[in-house]
Amino acid sequence: MGDEQEDAIIYRVVVNDEEQYSIWPAYKENALGWRDEGTSGTKEECLAHIKEIWTDMRPLSLRKKM
């Protein structure tokens, strides 16, 4: 896929049960185990949002044990 086509894709921020974040194309069904976080936009916007909110990269299960 070319840069121009990729720039036109709208993404969603998704999160899994371990509170790990990723982005997913809005036109695709979420991968198993991932749910919408509530944010959508360009790839850059979604990644910037994740960078802002995901400040502790440890999985939830590890954070609970500590």
Side-chain angles (χ1 to χ4, degrees), residues 39-58:
T39 302
S40 63
T42 66
K43 186 176 191 176
E44 292 77 20
E45 291 168 338
C46 289
L47 292 174
H49 177 70
I50 290 172
K51 185 176 180 179
E52 184 178 313
I53 64 167
W54 194 15
T55 57
D56 189 343
M57 297 292 214
R58 296 174 299 167

Side-chain angles (χ1 to χ4, degrees), residues 2-50:
D3 288 341
E4 290 175 10
Q5 285 178 317
E6 190 170 312
D7 287 346
I9 295 174
I10 298 299
Y11 290 87
R12 294 188 315 264
V13 175
V14 293
V15 61
N16 65 19
D17 290 340
E18 288 287 345
E19 294 185 356
Q20 297 168 310
Y21 291 84
S22 189
I23 63 172
W24 197 253
Y27 65 89
K28 289 188 177 182
E29 188 174 323
N30 286 350
L32 188 62
W34 294 86
R35 64 186 183 283
D36 289 346
E37 177 268 352
T39 302
S40 63
T42 66
K43 186 176 191 176
E44 292 77 20
E45 291 168 338
C46 289
L47 292 174
H49 177 70
I50 290 172

